[in-house]
Amino acid sequence: WWITDPDSAAEDAAAHLGLRETRRLHQMRRPLPYDGDVSPAPTRPFDPERDTDHWLTVNNEAFTWHPDQGGWTRSDLDERMAEPWFDLDDFRVTVDSPLTGFCWTKLHPAGTADPSVAVGEIYVIAVSPASAGRGQGAALTVAGLDHQWRTHGTPIGMLYVESTNDRALATYRRLGFEIAATDVAFEP
């Protein structure tokens, strides 16, 4: 049972039903364009013919711990790319070969994620664990924000992050993101 920003009544109802909190997912937002001191990483659009196997490796190594993003297969990737919102140009990968990271973005037209403006979401972002700790995650985040601003003119950047992912939270806060809402999962 997912609840956005649960109050004490929702938490009491969950407890009454025998449910316990199992996960917190923060939605973070920041205004665009990005005007900080981190330069965007050079990226290019994802190429399904050349990048799929490398992307699956980076994704699955980076998200071994994640309940939704870890363990993806080619068919999982194909399903997401078949979604009506998918745009190949919004799926950005590093220019190195094989790729060492990616920033998959997603456009939310006005009225979907925000009632009045379009929002550019960083849908999934990861860096190969072998390349972690060098600032590539921050540079890829800025590349995704920059892509959404330049391509779609979105005035707001958004992403979701696990509340327990301290490293990512620190990076996003440093880049000017603030928590806008928190989704909490309750399970038996």
Side-chain angles (χ1 to χ4, degrees), residues 92-112:
R92 312 301 297 177
V93 298
T94 56
V95 296
D96 48 354
S97 182
L99 64 93
T100 58
F102 62 89
C103 184
W104 188 347
T105 68
K106 177 179 180 180
L107 174 65
H108 294 273
T112 56

Side-chain angles (χ1 to χ4, degrees), residues 167-187:
R167 192 173 188 175
L169 280 165
T171 296
Y172 300 144
R173 285 186 174 117
R174 191 173 77 246
L175 295 174
F177 282 91
E178 295 180 2
I179 296 172
T182 300
D183 294 330
V184 179
F186 295 93
E187 296 181 45

Side-chain angles (χ1 to χ4, degrees), residues 41-42 94-96 99-102 125-128 131-142:
T94 56
V95 296
D96 48 354
L99 64 93
T100 58
F102 62 89
I125 184 169
V127 174
S128 166
S131 299
R134 300 180 198 149
Q136 190 176 18
L140 279 168
T141 302
V142 172

Side-chain angles (χ1 to χ4, degrees), residues 2-187:
W2 282 96
I3 301 176
T4 300
D5 294 325
D7 58 15
S8 59
E11 291 172 347
D12 290 346
H16 179 74
L17 294 170
L19 304 176
R20 61 181 174 73
E21 181 180 317
T22 57
R23 200 168 157 204
R24 282 184 175 258
L25 189 64
H26 296 309
Q27 181 193 116
M28 300 183 82
R29 291 181 175 214
R30 66 148 291 129
L32 296 180
Y34 172 78
D35 57 358
D37 60 354
V38 175
S39 296
T43 63
R44 62 174 173 77
F46 177 80
D47 178 347
E49 296 298 316
R50 146 177 141 184
D51 297 327
T52 296
D53 291 336
H54 296 297
W55 184 88
L56 287 168
T57 297
V58 170
N59 181 76
N60 292 336
E61 286 177 354
F63 289 109
T64 57
W65 57 275
H66 198 275
D68 300 326
Q69 195 61 35
W72 275 36
T73 64
R74 184 178 290 267
S75 62
D76 293 319
L77 180 58
D78 289 344
E79 282 179 33
R80 293 314 185 292
M81 292 193 314
E83 291 286 340
W85 54 261
F86 178 75
D87 181 334
L88 192 59
D89 191 49
D90 288 345
F91 193 168
R92 312 301 297 177
V93 298
T94 56
V95 296
D96 48 354
S97 182
L99 64 93
T100 58
F102 62 89
C103 184
W104 188 347
T105 68
K106 177 179 180 180
L107 174 65
H108 294 273
T112 56
D114 191 287
S116 59
V117 296
V119 174
E121 178 183 353
I122 294 182
Y123 176 61
V124 186
I125 184 169
V127 174
S128 166
S131 299
R134 300 180 198 149
Q136 190 176 18
L140 279 168
T141 302
V142 172
L145 295 173
D146 188 58
H147 171 76
Q148 282 293 310
W149 168 253
R150 291 181 187 277
T151 305
H152 303 296
T154 56
I156 297 172
M158 174 184 76
L159 54 80
Y160 289 90
V161 61
E162 297 289 336
S163 66
T164 56
N165 192 341
D166 295 333
R167 192 173 188 175
L169 280 165
T171 296
Y172 300 144
R173 285 186 174 117
R174 191 173 77 246
L175 295 174
F177 282 91
E178 295 180 2
I179 296 172
T182 300
D183 294 330
V184 179
F186 295 93
E187 296 181 45

